[in-house]
Amino acid sequence: MLLRRLAASALRRGGANDGGVLDAVRAEIAHELSSSTPSSPPSLQSQDIPDFATVSDPPRGQEVLLRRRDASEEVLVSAVLEPLRFEGEEPLPRDALMKVFVSKPDVKPVIRFDCRAFADEGDGGSADYDVTAACYHPFAGDAGEDKYEGPEFRDLDPRLQVALKGYLVARGVNSKLASSLHHHLVEKERWQYMNWLKTLEDMFSSH
């Protein structure tokens, strides 16, 4: 997804009425089609997220929300792609930012883990994840700047860091889940971008 390339292309091309936008949009569509952009909104399959159910994954939304629940506890996983960043004219690979909430019936507080899922080799590589923060709240979403949320995760004893990640892995938040979420979010945004480009093409071609 190269929005800067699209903008630069539009500036180089001189159309009669649109400044070259239509030609640039069509060139970008051709580029996206050459890289196997999905033609319909991708969906998470049960084999990609074992033990989890999809709570929310709107085609035009950015966030995915999963749930794993049994009689003893509930695990919620929220994931979005980090904001787009560039190095020169090229976009950098994007991590998936995950929040994991673990709660037990009639027991407080709720434990929250902030995690970062990253691709090893671009968008198509397998992904793992790091835990970047661990804290707790009286209930999910009850966070505030004025509340002490514990030390920086990297400052914890290494044995505790390993144990906390093992706690997540035992609840299904593992490398397979991180990889599936990262891949799904990348593919979903590619579809959204193509849909946006086609809307622009329709708009400018009608003038």
Side-chain angles (χ1 to χ4, degrees):
M1 181 186 303
L2 301 179
L3 292 176
R4 291 190 180 185
R5 182 184 66 221
L6 177 59
S9 178
L11 290 174
R12 289 195 301 267
R13 298 168 185 264
N17 299 314
D18 64 14
V21 172
L22 183 58
D23 286 345
V25 167
R26 286 174 172 166
E28 186 71 356
I29 288 173
H31 171 80
E32 289 297 312
L33 289 174
S34 69
S35 57
S36 303
T37 298
S39 58
S40 59
S43 60
L44 284 165
Q45 304 300 316
S46 58
Q47 64 267 23
D48 299 325
I49 50 172
D51 302 323
F52 282 87
T54 302
V55 176
S56 177
D57 185 20
R60 298 182 186 277
Q62 294 182 312
E63 183 183 30
V64 175
L65 182 62
L66 308 178
R67 176 189 287 126
R68 177 180 184 265
R69 181 165 55 188
D70 57 29
S72 63
E73 67 180 13
E74 178 180 74
V75 180
L76 290 173
V77 179
S78 166
V80 296
L81 284 178
E82 69 174 340
L84 189 63
R85 296 175 297 122
F86 285 86
E87 186 173 277
E89 294 294 319
E90 294 299 316
L92 295 172
R94 298 167 71 186
D95 296 340
L97 306 179
M98 304 191 306
K99 292 186 183 296
V100 183
F101 297 89
V102 182
S103 60
K104 297 181 182 295
D106 303 320
V107 176
K108 294 182 179 179
V110 174
I111 306 175
R112 189 194 91 202
F113 297 88
D114 293 349
C115 307
R116 179 178 288 267
F118 48 89
D120 289 334
E121 298 179 358
D123 292 342
S126 60
D128 198 358
Y129 73 94
D130 289 334
V131 181
T132 58
C135 55
Y136 55 82
H137 309 298
F139 54 87
D142 180 48
E145 295 180 357
D146 59 335
K147 297 180 180 180
Y148 177 67
E149 296 192 342
E152 293 288 334
F153 191 82
R154 63 177 177 268
D155 294 334
L156 293 175
D157 183 281
R159 293 172 298 179
L160 181 53
Q161 293 183 41
V162 171
L164 286 170
K165 183 167 182 180
Y167 177 85
L168 289 179
V169 171
R171 283 152 181 80
V173 186
N174 51 30
S175 297
K176 178 177 175 59
L177 183 71
S179 183
S180 296
L181 281 173
H182 186 277
H183 178 74
H184 173 71
L185 288 168
V186 169
E187 290 299 294
K188 181 178 177 181
E189 187 166 273
R190 291 179 64 199
W191 174 83
Q192 290 171 335
Y193 180 51
M194 176 63 83
N195 191 61
W196 180 79
L197 286 171
K198 289 181 176 179
T199 300
L200 276 185
E201 181 186 32
D202 290 343
M203 183 178 70
F204 279 94
S205 62
S206 65
H207 289 302

